[in-house]
mmCIF file of all heavy atoms in Angstrom:
data_model
loop_
_atom_site.group_PDB
_atom_site.id
_atom_site.type_symbol
_atom_site.label_atom_id
_atom_site.label_comp_id
_atom_site.label_asym_id
_atom_site.label_seq_id
_atom_site.Cartn_x
_atom_site.Cartn_y
_atom_site.Cartn_z
ATOM 1 N N ALA J 26 102.095 103.437 89.546
ATOM 2 C CA ALA J 26 102.833 104.584 90.068
ATOM 3 C C ALA J 26 102.072 105.242 91.226
ATOM 4 O O ALA J 26 102.665 105.581 92.253
ATOM 5 C CB ALA J 26 103.074 105.599 88.955
ATOM 6 N N ILE J 27 100.762 105.411 91.059
ATOM 7 C CA ILE J 27 99.952 106.006 92.129
ATOM 8 C C ILE J 27 99.998 105.136 93.372
ATOM 9 O O ILE J 27 100.188 105.627 94.492
ATOM 10 C CB ILE J 27 98.505 106.219 91.648
ATOM 11 C CG1 ILE J 27 98.464 107.332 90.607
ATOM 12 C CG2 ILE J 27 97.572 106.533 92.820
ATOM 13 C CD1 ILE J 27 97.144 107.465 89.888
ATOM 14 N N ALA J 28 99.832 103.827 93.185
ATOM 15 C CA ALA J 28 99.840 102.916 94.331
ATOM 16 C C ALA J 28 101.197 102.926 95.033
ATOM 17 O O ALA J 28 101.261 102.914 96.266
ATOM 18 C CB ALA J 28 99.490 101.501 93.873
ATOM 19 N N GLU J 29 102.255 102.955 94.265
ATOM 20 C CA GLU J 29 103.596 102.933 94.858
ATOM 21 C C GLU J 29 103.886 104.212 95.642
ATOM 22 O O GLU J 29 104.506 104.178 96.704
ATOM 23 C CB GLU J 29 104.641 102.744 93.761
ATOM 24 C CG GLU J 29 106.044 102.601 94.260
ATOM 25 C CD GLU J 29 106.264 101.362 95.115
ATOM 26 O OE1 GLU J 29 105.577 100.355 94.897
ATOM 27 O OE2 GLU J 29 107.136 101.417 96.004
ATOM 28 N N MET J 30 103.419 105.345 95.133
ATOM 29 C CA MET J 30 103.701 106.617 95.793
ATOM 30 C C MET J 30 102.807 106.887 97.003
ATOM 31 O O MET J 30 103.268 107.437 97.996
ATOM 32 C CB MET J 30 103.543 107.768 94.800
ATOM 33 C CG MET J 30 104.669 107.871 93.808
ATOM 34 S SD MET J 30 104.611 109.377 92.818
ATOM 35 C CE MET J 30 103.142 109.123 91.858
ATOM 36 N N PHE J 31 101.544 106.511 96.926
ATOM 37 C CA PHE J 31 100.584 106.970 97.927
ATOM 38 C C PHE J 31 100.027 105.901 98.854
ATOM 39 O O PHE J 31 99.548 106.231 99.930
ATOM 40 C CB PHE J 31 99.413 107.680 97.242
ATOM 41 C CG PHE J 31 99.831 108.901 96.484
ATOM 42 C CD1 PHE J 31 99.754 108.927 95.105
ATOM 43 C CD2 PHE J 31 100.317 110.017 97.139
ATOM 44 C CE1 PHE J 31 100.146 110.049 94.392
ATOM 45 C CE2 PHE J 31 100.709 111.152 96.440
ATOM 46 C CZ PHE J 31 100.622 111.158 95.059
ATOM 47 N N TYR J 32 100.031 104.647 98.458
ATOM 48 C CA TYR J 32 99.387 103.617 99.273
ATOM 49 C C TYR J 32 100.405 102.959 100.183
ATOM 50 O O TYR J 32 101.145 102.083 99.791
ATOM 51 C CB TYR J 32 98.713 102.566 98.396
ATOM 52 C CG TYR J 32 97.651 103.124 97.463
ATOM 53 C CD1 TYR J 32 97.213 102.389 96.380
ATOM 54 C CD2 TYR J 32 97.087 104.382 97.657
ATOM 55 C CE1 TYR J 32 96.251 102.883 95.522
ATOM 56 C CE2 TYR J 32 96.127 104.881 96.809
ATOM 57 C CZ TYR J 32 95.717 104.127 95.744
ATOM 58 O OH TYR J 32 94.767 104.619 94.895
ATOM 59 N N LYS J 33 100.431 103.381 101.421
ATOM 60 C CA LYS J 33 101.335 102.835 102.442
ATOM 61 C C LYS J 33 100.497 102.318 103.608
ATOM 62 O O LYS J 33 100.508 102.852 104.703
ATOM 63 C CB LYS J 33 102.326 103.904 102.931
ATOM 64 C CG LYS J 33 103.115 104.576 101.830
ATOM 65 C CD LYS J 33 104.014 103.594 101.121
ATOM 66 C CE LYS J 33 104.801 104.336 100.047
ATOM 67 N NZ LYS J 33 105.416 103.472 99.097
ATOM 68 N N TRP J 34 99.715 101.273 103.328
ATOM 69 C CA TRP J 34 98.781 100.769 104.320
ATOM 70 C C TRP J 34 99.342 99.596 105.117
ATOM 71 O O TRP J 34 98.630 99.033 105.937
ATOM 72 C CB TRP J 34 97.477 100.374 103.648
ATOM 73 C CG TRP J 34 96.794 101.550 102.995
ATOM 74 C CD1 TRP J 34 96.767 102.831 103.450
ATOM 75 C CD2 TRP J 34 96.048 101.547 101.783
ATOM 76 N NE1 TRP J 34 96.048 103.628 102.591
ATOM 77 C CE2 TRP J 34 95.594 102.863 101.558
ATOM 78 C CE3 TRP J 34 95.723 100.568 100.863
ATOM 79 C CZ2 TRP J 34 94.828 103.214 100.460
ATOM 80 C CZ3 TRP J 34 94.953 100.917 99.765
ATOM 81 C CH2 TRP J 34 94.515 102.232 99.573
ATOM 82 N N HIS J 35 100.570 99.217 104.889
ATOM 83 C CA HIS J 35 101.253 98.135 105.612
ATOM 84 C C HIS J 35 100.489 96.816 105.549
ATOM 85 O O HIS J 35 100.539 96.025 106.478
ATOM 86 C CB HIS J 35 101.524 98.535 107.065
ATOM 87 C CG HIS J 35 102.280 99.816 107.177
ATOM 88 N ND1 HIS J 35 103.601 99.922 106.808
ATOM 89 C CD2 HIS J 35 101.904 101.052 107.578
ATOM 90 C CE1 HIS J 35 104.002 101.161 106.997
ATOM 91 N NE2 HIS J 35 102.992 101.871 107.451
ATOM 92 N N SER J 36 99.774 96.635 104.455
ATOM 93 C CA SER J 36 99.046 95.384 104.233
ATOM 94 C C SER J 36 99.069 95.093 102.739
ATOM 95 O O SER J 36 98.589 95.908 101.938
ATOM 96 C CB SER J 36 97.609 95.507 104.719
ATOM 97 O OG SER J 36 96.846 94.409 104.255
ATOM 98 N N PHE J 37 99.628 93.965 102.395
ATOM 99 C CA PHE J 37 99.704 93.594 100.982
ATOM 100 C C PHE J 37 98.313 93.533 100.368
ATOM 101 O O PHE J 37 98.087 94.029 99.266
ATOM 102 C CB PHE J 37 100.412 92.244 100.824
ATOM 103 C CG PHE J 37 100.433 91.750 99.414
ATOM 104 C CD1 PHE J 37 101.327 92.269 98.500
ATOM 105 C CD2 PHE J 37 99.546 90.771 99.000
ATOM 106 C CE1 PHE J 37 101.343 91.831 97.189
ATOM 107 C CE2 PHE J 37 99.553 90.317 97.696
ATOM 108 C CZ PHE J 37 100.451 90.847 96.787
ATOM 109 N N LEU J 38 97.374 92.959 101.078
ATOM 110 C CA LEU J 38 96.024 92.799 100.554
ATOM 111 C C LEU J 38 95.363 94.156 100.309
ATOM 112 O O LEU J 38 94.752 94.372 99.251
ATOM 113 C CB LEU J 38 95.183 91.964 101.522
ATOM 114 C CG LEU J 38 93.785 91.596 101.050
ATOM 115 C CD1 LEU J 38 93.853 90.763 99.782
ATOM 116 C CD2 LEU J 38 93.068 90.838 102.141
ATOM 117 N N LEU J 39 95.471 95.070 101.252
ATOM 118 C CA LEU J 39 94.866 96.396 101.081
ATOM 119 C C LEU J 39 95.527 97.171 99.950
ATOM 120 O O LEU J 39 94.850 97.815 99.142
ATOM 121 C CB LEU J 39 94.961 97.196 102.377
ATOM 122 C CG LEU J 39 94.035 96.771 103.509
ATOM 123 C CD1 LEU J 39 94.334 97.594 104.756
ATOM 124 C CD2 LEU J 39 92.588 96.904 103.103
ATOM 125 N N GLU J 40 96.860 97.110 99.877
ATOM 126 C CA GLU J 40 97.555 97.846 98.817
ATOM 127 C C GLU J 40 97.261 97.259 97.445
ATOM 128 O O GLU J 40 97.124 97.993 96.467
ATOM 129 C CB GLU J 40 99.045 97.880 99.105
ATOM 130 C CG GLU J 40 99.372 98.769 100.291
ATOM 131 C CD GLU J 40 100.850 98.857 100.597
ATOM 132 O OE1 GLU J 40 101.672 98.529 99.728
ATOM 133 O OE2 GLU J 40 101.180 99.268 101.724
ATOM 134 N N THR J 41 97.147 95.940 97.347
ATOM 135 C CA THR J 41 96.808 95.314 96.074
ATOM 136 C C THR J 41 95.385 95.682 95.668
ATOM 137 O O THR J 41 95.122 95.992 94.499
ATOM 138 C CB THR J 41 96.952 93.787 96.162
ATOM 139 O OG1 THR J 41 98.287 93.471 96.533
ATOM 140 C CG2 THR J 41 96.621 93.120 94.847
ATOM 141 N N GLY J 42 94.470 95.662 96.623
ATOM 142 C CA GLY J 42 93.102 96.082 96.336
ATOM 143 C C GLY J 42 93.031 97.531 95.901
ATOM 144 O O GLY J 42 92.305 97.876 94.967
ATOM 145 N N GLY J 43 93.799 98.395 96.553
ATOM 146 C CA GLY J 43 93.847 99.797 96.165
ATOM 147 C C GLY J 43 94.406 99.978 94.768
ATOM 148 O O GLY J 43 93.904 100.780 93.977
ATOM 149 N N PHE J 44 95.454 99.215 94.446
ATOM 150 C CA PHE J 44 96.040 99.262 93.107
ATOM 151 C C PHE J 44 95.018 98.833 92.055
ATOM 152 O O PHE J 44 94.844 99.508 91.036
ATOM 153 C CB PHE J 44 97.283 98.373 93.041
ATOM 154 C CG PHE J 44 97.648 97.959 91.653
ATOM 155 C CD1 PHE J 44 98.167 98.865 90.756
ATOM 156 C CD2 PHE J 44 97.467 96.646 91.245
ATOM 157 C CE1 PHE J 44 98.500 98.484 89.467
ATOM 158 C CE2 PHE J 44 97.789 96.256 89.969
ATOM 159 C CZ PHE J 44 98.300 97.176 89.074
ATOM 160 N N LEU J 45 94.321 97.724 92.289
ATOM 161 C CA LEU J 45 93.339 97.234 91.319
ATOM 162 C C LEU J 45 92.176 98.201 91.166
ATOM 163 O O LEU J 45 91.692 98.437 90.051
ATOM 164 C CB LEU J 45 92.852 95.843 91.722
ATOM 165 C CG LEU J 45 93.884 94.727 91.601
ATOM 166 C CD1 LEU J 45 93.334 93.433 92.184
ATOM 167 C CD2 LEU J 45 94.310 94.526 90.157
ATOM 168 N N LEU J 46 91.732 98.785 92.268
ATOM 169 C CA LEU J 46 90.654 99.774 92.200
ATOM 170 C C LEU J 46 91.111 101.021 91.441
ATOM 171 O O LEU J 46 90.358 101.577 90.637
ATOM 172 C CB LEU J 46 90.188 100.134 93.606
ATOM 173 C CG LEU J 46 89.010 101.093 93.693
ATOM 174 C CD1 LEU J 46 87.775 100.477 93.050
ATOM 175 C CD2 LEU J 46 88.727 101.431 95.139
ATOM 176 N N THR J 47 92.335 101.443 91.671
ATOM 177 C CA THR J 47 92.884 102.599 90.955
ATOM 178 C C THR J 47 92.969 102.317 89.464
ATOM 179 O O THR J 47 92.627 103.155 88.632
ATOM 180 C CB THR J 47 94.266 102.974 91.509
ATOM 181 O OG1 THR J 47 94.151 103.213 92.914
ATOM 182 C CG2 THR J 47 94.822 104.211 90.833
ATOM 183 N N TRP J 48 93.419 101.125 89.115
ATOM 184 C CA TRP J 48 93.503 100.729 87.697
ATOM 185 C C TRP J 48 92.110 100.752 87.072
ATOM 186 O O TRP J 48 91.920 101.254 85.966
ATOM 187 C CB TRP J 48 94.138 99.357 87.598
ATOM 188 C CG TRP J 48 94.445 98.884 86.210
ATOM 189 C CD1 TRP J 48 94.414 99.605 85.064
ATOM 190 C CD2 TRP J 48 94.835 97.567 85.830
ATOM 191 N NE1 TRP J 48 94.765 98.818 84.002
ATOM 192 C CE2 TRP J 48 95.024 97.563 84.448
ATOM 193 C CE3 TRP J 48 95.038 96.387 86.541
ATOM 194 C CZ2 TRP J 48 95.414 96.422 83.752
ATOM 195 C CZ3 TRP J 48 95.428 95.262 85.845
ATOM 196 C CH2 TRP J 48 95.628 95.276 84.464
ATOM 197 N N PHE J 49 91.118 100.230 87.790
ATOM 198 C CA PHE J 49 89.744 100.225 87.297
ATOM 199 C C PHE J 49 89.247 101.650 87.052
ATOM 200 O O PHE J 49 88.656 101.947 86.012
ATOM 201 C CB PHE J 49 88.842 99.508 88.304
ATOM 202 C CG PHE J 49 87.388 99.537 87.936
ATOM 203 C CD1 PHE J 49 86.874 98.649 87.006
ATOM 204 C CD2 PHE J 49 86.530 100.453 88.523
ATOM 205 C CE1 PHE J 49 85.533 98.680 86.667
ATOM 206 C CE2 PHE J 49 85.191 100.490 88.189
ATOM 207 C CZ PHE J 49 84.690 99.600 87.265
ATOM 208 N N VAL J 50 89.476 102.537 88.003
ATOM 209 C CA VAL J 50 89.002 103.922 87.888
ATOM 210 C C VAL J 50 89.706 104.637 86.732
ATOM 211 O O VAL J 50 89.056 105.339 85.945
ATOM 212 C CB VAL J 50 89.186 104.676 89.222
ATOM 213 C CG1 VAL J 50 88.957 106.168 89.058
ATOM 214 C CG2 VAL J 50 88.268 104.101 90.286
ATOM 215 N N LEU J 51 91.018 104.464 86.619
ATOM 216 C CA LEU J 51 91.745 105.100 85.507
ATOM 217 C C LEU J 51 91.246 104.582 84.165
ATOM 218 O O LEU J 51 91.059 105.355 83.218
ATOM 219 C CB LEU J 51 93.248 104.854 85.637
ATOM 220 C CG LEU J 51 93.974 105.615 86.740
ATOM 221 C CD1 LEU J 51 95.445 105.225 86.756
ATOM 222 C CD2 LEU J 51 93.829 107.107 86.562
ATOM 223 N N ASP J 52 91.016 103.290 84.056
ATOM 224 C CA ASP J 52 90.522 102.712 82.809
ATOM 225 C C ASP J 52 89.118 103.212 82.498
ATOM 226 O O ASP J 52 88.788 103.502 81.346
ATOM 227 C CB ASP J 52 90.545 101.191 82.897
ATOM 228 C CG ASP J 52 90.366 100.542 81.540
ATOM 229 O OD1 ASP J 52 90.884 101.084 80.544
ATOM 230 O OD2 ASP J 52 89.725 99.483 81.477
ATOM 231 N N ALA J 53 88.280 103.365 83.524
ATOM 232 C CA ALA J 53 86.936 103.899 83.322
ATOM 233 C C ALA J 53 86.998 105.352 82.840
ATOM 234 O O ALA J 53 86.241 105.744 81.941
ATOM 235 C CB ALA J 53 86.131 103.799 84.607
ATOM 236 N N LEU J 54 87.896 106.138 83.412
ATOM 237 C CA LEU J 54 88.046 107.533 82.971
ATOM 238 C C LEU J 54 88.504 107.611 81.520
ATOM 239 O O LEU J 54 87.991 108.426 80.745
ATOM 240 C CB LEU J 54 89.039 108.269 83.871
ATOM 241 C CG LEU J 54 88.543 108.626 85.264
ATOM 242 C CD1 LEU J 54 89.685 109.197 86.104
ATOM 243 C CD2 LEU J 54 87.408 109.622 85.179
#
Side-chain angles (χ1 to χ4, degrees):
I27 290 170
E29 184 64 30
M30 286 189 293
F31 298 112
Y32 301 163
K33 306 296 181 195
W34 298 324
H35 305 290
S36 168
F37 176 78
L38 186 61
L39 287 175
E40 290 181 18
T41 302
F44 159 71
L45 291 173
L46 184 62
T47 304
W48 187 11
F49 176 81
V50 169
L51 288 178
D52 194 37
L54 286 173

